[in-house]
Amino acid sequence: MELQAVLMAAGGGSRMMDLTYNTPKPLLPVGNKPLIWYPLNLLERVGFEEVIVITTKEVQKMISTDPKVKLDVKMKLDLVCIQEDADMGTADALRHIQQKVKTDVLVVSCDLITDAALHEVVDLFRAHNATLSMLMSKAHEFTETVPGQKGKKKTGEQRDFVGVDGTGKRLLFMANEADLDEGVVIRKSIMRKHPRMHIKTGLVDAHLYCLKKSVVDFLADNKSISSIRGELVPYLVRKQFSKSTNSPKVIDETHQNLKKNDSNISSRDEELLHLTQERSCWNDHRGDMSDAYHGGRLRCYVHIMDEGICYRVNTLAAYIEANRLAPKLFDEPAVHPSAVVSERCLIGADSIIGASCQISDKTSIKRSTIGVSTTVREKVKVTNSIIMHGVTIEEGCNIQGSVICSNAVIGRGADIKYCLVGSAQRIEPDAEVNITYHYKSITYNNCHKVSK
Amino acid sequence: MADCGEPDGPGNKDDIARSKNEGKELTKEEKQRLRKQKKQQKKHKERKNEKGPSETEKDETPVSLLPPPPPVATQKAPSALPAPASAPIPVPASAPFHSSPAPSPADKPAKSKAELKAERRARQETDRAAKQPGSSSSGIKTKVPLSELNPVVKRLPEHVQVDDPAVVKRLAKKLERQQIPLRSDYGYKVSLFSHLHQYSRKAPLTQLLSIPSTVIHPSIVRLGLQYSQGIVAGSNARSVALLHAFKQVIRDYTTPPNEELSRDLVNKLKPYISFLNQCRPLSASMGNAIKYIKKEISNIPSQCKEEEAKTKLLKCIDRYIEEKIVLAAKAISKYAIEKISDGDVILVYGCSSLVNHILCEAFEKSRKFRVIVVDSRPRLEGREALRRLVQRGISCTYVLISALSYILPEVSKVFLGAHALLANGYVMSRVGTSQIALVARTFNVPVLVCCETYKFCERVQTDSFVSNELDDPDDLMVTRKGKTQLENWQDVSSLGLLNLVYDVTPPDFVDLVITDLGMIPCTSVPVVLRVKNLDQ
């Protein structure tokens, strides 16, 4: 077997608590499919037959009953539960399943929605015998207004600095602004080997990593690393250029320790590989006297996507953007066949209506997503919104730019603009709600401006 | 031991000559009919005996991926009998030399195929048992009477014919059967070379494969990628990498029940070889290595246990690499160093691992010489050769091939590497080599070609058009000051980009060939081939 897929679905969605306080993040509906369906679909399309899914008990229960996951996903899902309150990072989770990992792993996050060609990432991993290979994408501006935010919020989001070499494939440098004190510090050893480095900041990390098995074993020995993205990847990138005679628990040693286990086989093979490299007239860089890869054994590669969809749904803005674009990823009809839609309603071409919906007369639905089993009464105008499952919208409502979570009830004549209504909340009739989060069970009557 | 590929006397040559010249179908069909009749008679006799094993054979035939093995007649004499057995299976007209395993379920019932298989196996077993204790002379003796019945079909590689739709269709069918995706050609091909494949590096074969590759062993997928991206380039490096990958395959191989390792492993390797061929056309050295491995695998006795057989095969591979590549390089450098004298100015072209090895060894032995490295676009491999030589301390000059006639007056010897040595003495090497040999001959500079014997090839070619390799045409595009002039070359209908990889140098331009068997003139290559075949 070449690669094992590991799907990390135990995250809490800490950056969008408003949505995830009730529904766990892997099961948030995006385009009427649970969020976890997207990476599973990606893996299935590419040809994986088995996936190890690391998740919490709650999610495990819901996944096993979710119809979408059960019906559409043909792969074998091996669900591994971890404690919700254990506060495990992604690297901790990998350490937890170390026994199940028999070969190189492909780690995917459950909030990744992309149509990337995975073979590009894996080809880098295979061809160069890399230790790490990851996917990144050029970040796109989010154009939709996010409910609950007054105006465009441009907080100083921590930037990522990614340094690549001339070909754009070899990863030389990776640091987050949070870890840097004053400026970007680049070691001389890197500059000596790769005098030309391109540093990019506008990239989104897709959190899709191909890791060698020795890395997982290394994690088992080094319990201090708890996050793949935050600690392991920068460590590996730095380690490419450090001299090999360092601390004892070094990853090179783990490489060698493994090889010593079947020493006869690997030493001969190592010789052959060395002979191949010696006889081959290829070099990955030009201009200095060193051999290919500068004789380094650890190599990290990155594939940067220029075009195509790549989103990580971990903030509210990303969630809304993903809902807009997710339908483009699959060819299902916009209006589910089991939805009951009356003739005299206007449904825009870019709206999605879920199964078993009831849309009544004289409604207008534009650029929105309506969830499963939602009832929309007459004379309702829904624009630019996301309505989740089981919602009831009474007559005459006007919903604009909002997110209405599952099982909410919107009373008659309510006017909701740029709001987020939490799960199972009720908006009273004739309420006028503007730019707010509504998830506390406080009822308002005939109010005009309601703020948090 | 049975010989590998020895021509079986005049009968075989006539057949091949006839089939080459005339409408082959008639003569072959007549032969097929005769063979069919013979087979029918034998079948009736052995039907009752073989009923037991044939039952199990029937179960196996739907399981195995491929139809009955094609005439692997270069291996040994007994397989001469299966050659005619599978020849009645309709042979496509255009293949001059051998039939690819075309399926024929409609014509013959599965039972007869199974029975033929069983007969063949029984005969092979008896022959193999007879062969083991006997010497080579008895092997030849057993071969002669059999050959009178059926001439051994010599298996030569098929010519690539991309512009012939029938051949392309056959290839597509074969790949489909082996579950290998077909790589599509890219871009406009110059008309003289339209019979060759031209692939784009940006469209690797892996995008059509599933990611945890199950059909093809992961080390073979990795190797194919490394070939197509040029990470493993150079005849020796490719062969070593191929054998290394085969070692992994053999290590991970387990014999399925009711199958024999000697047969099943060869069948397992065939789709891998097709895959590698799709990634990048196989080189002559790789072809010889594959032939050697297949022979070794087929020669494993059936009573050998799996573990034992596997270790034996791994050892064989190690020995082959050690003998044919590493020790051969040592022997060649020993001979070549005699030819290098102090004060020499040596010209080398591109990056040949063997020539670099020779020069480094000569420098270790304190010969005083300097090197001129000639390079050419688009590969610019000379830069790598330059780096390796300068790293050792050899003083070098670097020029592009356009400056060749300007620096040749300084040169005292030319050392060239070879990709393959053809049976008529022609040297197949990187494109540009023949030009260098020509100009050197004009300046009366001796040209020495260094080549290991495992690169000697049975093919005959007098020009560079018939069989060559087309590399990615986009490599010819160059970006200077941010502008790429040829960016939209595909839109210009009258423009074609040609990126040839190999060319052939006639033996008149080559003064000496240095091989591990010694220093021979170019015209002695067929002799070496003959001696090699007798040894094997």
Side-chain angles (χ1 to χ4, degrees):
Chain A
M1 220 197 335
E2 191 186 358
L3 273 184
Q4 268 177 296
V6 176
L7 184 60
M8 300 281 183
S14 46
R15 276 184 272 183
M16 34 186 209
M17 282 315 291
D18 327 308
L19 289 172
T20 55
Y21 77 99
N22 209 7
T23 330
K25 187 169 85 160
L27 295 164
L28 276 180
V30 174
N32 289 339
K33 293 197 198 324
L35 185 54
I36 203 174
W37 183 87
Y38 290 88
L40 285 176
N41 181 295
L42 175 70
L43 292 172
E44 189 170 356
R45 257 185 297 135
V46 157
F48 277 95
E49 282 166 17
E50 287 187 351
V51 184
I52 302 176
V53 181
I54 303 182
T55 179
T56 54
K57 282 211 170 43
E58 196 191 330
V59 178
Q60 183 194 27
K61 255 186 280 169
M62 293 172 87
I63 285 185
S64 35
T65 51
D66 188 304
K68 264 278 148 46
V69 174
K70 257 206 314 216
L71 295 171
D72 287 352
V73 174
K74 308 268 185 315
M75 302 184 288
K76 195 169 79 104
L77 298 179
D78 181 9
L79 291 153
V80 173
C81 289
I82 57 170
Q83 300 289 25
E84 218 172 78
D85 42 357
D87 196 21
M88 278 180 124
T90 39
D92 297 323
L94 261 192
R95 198 176 298 129
H96 184 77
I97 55 161
Q98 194 220 351
Q99 298 304 319
K100 287 188 184 249
V101 169
K102 305 268 183 302
T103 158
D104 303 335
V105 283
L106 175 69
V107 179
V108 190
S109 173
C110 69
D111 53 10
L112 175 67
I113 298 183
T114 181
D115 63 351
L118 270 196
H119 74 90
E120 307 257 3
V121 180
V122 182
D123 280 350
L124 283 173
F125 183 69
R126 289 165 174 153
H128 297 276
N129 208 12
T131 314
L132 161 74
S133 169
M134 53 189 283
L135 176 69
M136 287 191 138
S137 163
K138 290 213 160 68
H140 302 282
E141 279 293 318
F142 291 148
T143 48
E144 307 283 334
T145 15
V146 180
Q149 282 172 2
K150 297 187 173 75
K152 286 223 158 137
K153 180 172 74 157
K154 279 263 171 137
T155 53
E157 291 246 337
Q158 301 286 323
R159 287 180 294 176
D160 271 327
F161 293 96
V162 178
V164 292
D165 75 343
T167 60
K169 299 276 177 199
R170 179 93 189 261
L171 192 52
L172 301 175
F173 178 77
M174 175 170 286
N176 190 286
E177 200 170 339
D179 301 327
L180 303 167
D181 292 326
E182 293 163 347
V184 175
V185 176
I186 301 178
R187 289 157 65 172
K188 247 198 227 165
S189 54
I190 309 180
M191 300 269 48
R192 240 179 267 131
K193 292 179 181 169
H194 297 269
R196 278 194 156 192
M197 191 190 324
H198 300 267
I199 302 193
K200 305 185 185 229
T201 48
L203 293 179
V204 167
D205 182 354
H207 207 287
L208 189 143
Y209 307 109
C210 275
L211 294 167
K212 266 218 157 92
K213 180 167 186 308
S214 49
V215 175
V216 182
D217 296 330
F218 165 75
L219 276 181
D221 290 334
N222 287 29
K223 301 214 188 315
S224 58
I225 298 184
S226 77
S227 156
I228 295 185
R229 175 68 181 85
E231 293 164 44
L232 182 62
V233 171
Y235 174 78
L236 288 176
V237 173
R238 270 200 315 273
K239 206 92 201 85
Q240 290 178 95
F241 301 106
S242 64
K243 298 201 180 69
S244 43
T245 57
N246 260 345
S247 54
K249 289 264 173 88
V250 141
I251 198 162
D252 278 347
E253 254 197 32
T254 336
H255 274 296
Q256 282 153 17
N257 280 338
L258 282 174
K259 285 177 180 153
K260 280 195 195 108
N261 293 338
D262 12 47
S263 54
N264 277 339
I265 302 174
S266 350
S267 63
R268 196 70 193 93
D269 278 357
E270 278 291 301
E271 276 175 41
L272 282 185
L273 277 178
H274 183 73
L275 184 66
T276 309
Q277 211 172 40
E278 212 190 313
R279 297 297 167 110
S280 171
C281 53
W282 177 83
N283 205 323
D284 67 326
H285 66 278
R286 271 189 292 125
D288 64 359
M289 280 296 174
S290 11
D291 290 331
Y293 306 127
H294 299 277
R297 315 211 19 217
L298 218 130
R299 302 183 270 277
C300 299
Y301 284 87
V302 61
H303 172 69
I304 302 182
M305 275 171 68
D306 288 329
E307 325 161 309
I309 304 175
C310 179
Y311 287 105
R312 290 218 38 225
V313 180
N314 50 8
T315 56
L316 190 51
Y319 177 73
I320 295 176
E321 191 78 14
N323 259 298
R324 278 300 150 265
L325 295 168
K328 298 201 183 110
L329 279 181
F330 46 88
D331 294 315
E332 278 180 17
V335 179
H336 199 275
S338 68
V340 174
V341 178
S342 73
E343 296 93 31
R344 279 185 297 160
C345 60
L346 278 167
I347 298 187
D350 35 11
S351 301
I352 310 179
I353 315 286
S356 323
C357 279
Q358 279 185 334
I359 318 281
S360 315
D361 294 338
K362 299 204 195 124
T363 50
S364 150
I365 300 178
K366 292 197 188 114
R367 299 190 79 218
S368 302
T369 312
I370 313 276
V372 167
S373 311
T374 308
T375 315
V376 178
R377 294 272 142 80
E378 288 85 11
K379 298 204 199 114
V380 167
K381 259 185 79 177
V382 180
T383 331
N384 270 344
S385 301
I386 300 170
I387 321 266
M388 295 198 199
H389 312 303
V391 172
T392 311
I393 306 181
E394 305 286 346
E395 293 113 19
C397 289
N398 185 353
I399 303 178
Q400 229 182 3
S402 306
V403 177
I404 319 273
C405 295
S406 319
N407 303 318
V409 176
I410 316 289
R412 305 174 61 232
D415 186 12
I416 302 182
K417 289 201 177 75
Y418 303 112
C419 297
L420 189 149
V421 178
S423 242
Q425 295 303 314
R426 287 195 76 234
I427 304 286
E428 288 300 312
D430 297 320
E432 212 183 283
V433 196
N434 266 336
I435 310 177
T436 182
Y437 296 116
H438 185 106
Y439 53 89
K440 301 189 178 70
S441 53
I442 308 169
T443 57
Y444 291 86
N445 281 320
N446 293 332
C447 310
H448 285 278
K449 276 219 165 159
V450 180
S451 44
K452 201 156 56 142
Chain B
M1 281 263 277
D3 302 342
C4 180
E6 185 178 345
D8 203 25
N12 184 38
K13 286 203 188 111
D14 286 348
D15 288 344
I16 291 188
R18 242 186 298 145
S19 59
K20 256 199 247 177
N21 300 334
E22 309 171 0
K24 324 139 200 170
E25 295 166 63
L26 292 168
T27 47
K28 261 204 170 145
E29 286 199 1
E30 284 173 0
K31 265 191 278 172
Q32 286 169 22
R33 248 177 277 134
L34 282 169
R35 285 177 201 148
K36 253 191 200 173
Q37 289 168 3
K38 266 189 223 161
K39 278 295 141 205
Q40 298 276 336
Q41 293 166 359
K42 283 191 183 163
K43 229 197 302 176
H44 286 301
K45 272 187 222 164
E46 292 182 60
R47 190 165 275 219
K48 282 175 189 157
N49 301 346
E50 303 292 325
K51 225 173 193 176
S54 74
E55 232 94 43
T56 54
E57 299 290 312
K58 255 197 291 180
D59 295 333
E60 282 166 49
T61 36
V63 168
S64 59
L65 275 174
L66 300 168
V72 191
T74 50
Q75 309 276 339
K76 44 179 161 273
S79 59
L81 283 163
S86 42
I89 298 165
V91 174
S94 46
F97 300 111
H98 84 297
S99 60
S100 61
S104 66
D107 290 333
K108 294 203 139 209
K111 205 176 178 192
S112 62
K113 252 200 258 178
E115 284 185 343
L116 286 172
K117 242 189 172 178
E119 286 167 35
R120 237 180 288 140
R121 284 194 192 187
R123 232 175 275 117
Q124 279 178 357
E125 291 306 317
T126 47
D127 284 321
R128 210 186 270 157
K131 205 195 331 154
Q132 298 288 27
S135 59
S136 57
S137 57
S138 65
I140 297 176
K141 275 194 208 137
T142 52
K143 220 181 69 162
V144 167
L146 284 169
S147 65
E148 282 168 7
L149 294 173
N150 306 291
V152 175
V153 176
K154 193 179 189 126
R155 188 179 189 212
L156 287 162
E158 246 181 24
H159 282 299
V160 180
Q161 280 167 278
V162 176
D163 51 358
D164 184 352
V167 177
V168 174
K169 220 170 62 155
R170 212 172 355 119
L171 174 69
K173 261 204 290 189
K174 173 175 152 203
L175 289 176
E176 207 185 327
R177 224 183 17 245
Q178 295 174 332
Q179 294 176 295
I180 311 264
L182 176 70
R183 196 170 181 191
S184 44
D185 283 2
Y186 165 77
Y188 170 72
K189 281 190 268 195
V190 173
S191 55
L192 267 177
F193 295 95
S194 56
H195 61 288
L196 300 170
H197 285 292
Q198 180 171 280
Y199 300 127
S200 166
R201 199 160 294 133
K202 290 202 264 288
L205 200 48
T206 47
Q207 68 191 33
L208 303 164
L209 288 177
S210 67
I211 281 199
S213 70
T214 40
V215 176
I216 306 174
H217 193 274
S219 56
I220 302 276
V221 176
R222 167 175 301 161
L223 187 64
L225 264 178
Q226 288 177 331
Y227 282 163
S228 59
Q229 290 180 9
I231 295 175
V232 173
S235 192
N236 281 336
R238 284 165 76 188
S239 309
V240 173
L242 175 73
L243 291 170
H244 169 78
F246 276 174
K247 277 177 81 172
Q248 316 269 59
V249 171
I250 291 174
R251 238 181 248 129
D252 292 340
Y253 170 77
T254 47
T255 327
N258 296 335
E259 290 282 349
E260 269 194 39
L261 184 139
S262 55
R263 266 174 270 272
D264 190 60
L265 187 52
V266 177
N267 287 343
K268 273 261 160 42
L269 290 179
K270 286 201 180 102
Y272 299 162
I273 294 166
S274 306
F275 173 76
L276 292 174
N277 204 9
Q278 290 276 291
C279 288
R280 193 176 162 193
L282 296 181
S283 64
S285 55
M286 286 165 71
N288 286 341
I290 290 172
K291 247 192 250 167
Y292 172 79
I293 286 204
K294 283 192 177 167
K295 192 170 76 87
E296 286 297 316
I297 295 176
S298 315
N299 281 347
I300 288 190
S302 50
Q303 52 270 41
C304 200
K305 272 186 297 197
E306 186 177 315
E307 278 312 307
E308 215 181 293
K310 289 209 279 195
T311 14
K312 188 161 159 257
L313 282 174
L314 295 175
K315 274 212 205 80
C316 280
I317 293 180
D318 283 334
R319 206 177 53 227
Y320 184 83
I321 296 177
E322 186 65 27
E323 280 175 18
K324 307 277 183 184
I325 300 178
V326 181
L327 287 176
K330 281 209 189 94
I332 293 177
S333 15
K334 196 168 66 94
Y335 289 122
I337 286 173
E338 294 170 25
K339 290 288 177 191
I340 301 179
S341 29
D342 284 348
D344 259 347
V345 180
I346 298 178
L347 187 130
V348 298
Y349 178 63
C351 186
S352 164
S353 55
L354 188 53
V355 172
N356 290 343
H357 185 258
I358 292 173
L359 293 176
C360 293
E361 288 283 302
F363 192 73
E364 302 278 312
K365 298 225 163 63
S366 335
R367 291 277 198 278
K368 306 270 178 296
F369 58 93
R370 68 183 176 91
V371 176
I372 298 181
V373 179
V374 177
D375 204 4
S376 70
R377 278 197 69 233
R379 286 186 172 229
L380 291 170
E381 289 170 336
R383 296 182 297 189
E384 186 57 23
L386 184 68
R387 177 188 75 78
R388 287 176 199 206
L389 295 174
V390 173
Q391 198 180 29
R392 294 301 193 100
I394 304 174
S395 56
C396 298
T397 312
Y398 175 89
V399 290
L400 288 181
I401 197 168
S402 39
L404 185 61
S405 50
Y406 298 112
I407 45 130
L408 256 174
E410 296 178 12
V411 174
S412 62
K413 288 188 182 69
V414 176
F415 271 82
L416 297 173
H419 168 87
L421 237 58
L422 305 175
N424 56 351
Y426 278 64
V427 178
M428 180 182 230
S429 185
R430 186 68 81 223
V431 65
T433 313
S434 124
Q435 197 177 350
I436 292 198
L438 170 65
V439 181
R441 163 63 95 217
T442 326
F443 279 86
N444 287 322
V445 174
V447 174
L448 293 89
V449 169
C450 309
C451 181
E452 298 97 334
T453 47
Y454 86 109
K455 288 183 190 161
F456 285 24
C457 170
E458 308 256 342
R459 215 165 52 203
V460 167
Q461 217 178 306
T462 51
D463 60 52
S464 314
F465 300 104
V466 157
S467 171
N468 209 322
E469 187 187 328
L470 290 177
D471 208 354
D472 190 347
D474 291 339
D475 285 350
L476 291 177
M477 295 198 292
V478 69
T479 309
R480 292 208 172 95
K481 296 190 191 164
K483 269 206 303 193
T484 315
Q485 303 285 16
L486 285 174
E487 202 157 8
N488 302 315
W489 69 273
Q490 308 237 35
D491 301 336
V492 183
S493 56
S494 51
L495 180 63
L497 292 184
L498 179 66
N499 190 354
L500 273 184
V501 183
Y502 298 117
D503 71 3
V504 284
T505 310
D508 331 325
F509 298 153
V510 177
D511 292 304
L512 194 64
V513 177
I514 309 181
T515 68
D516 41 329
L517 293 175
M519 297 194 270
I520 58 175
C522 229
T523 44
S524 303
V525 169
V527 178
V528 172
L529 275 171
R530 187 159 49 86
V531 167
K532 209 165 60 123
N533 288 336
L534 274 180
D535 282 343
Q536 283 175 342

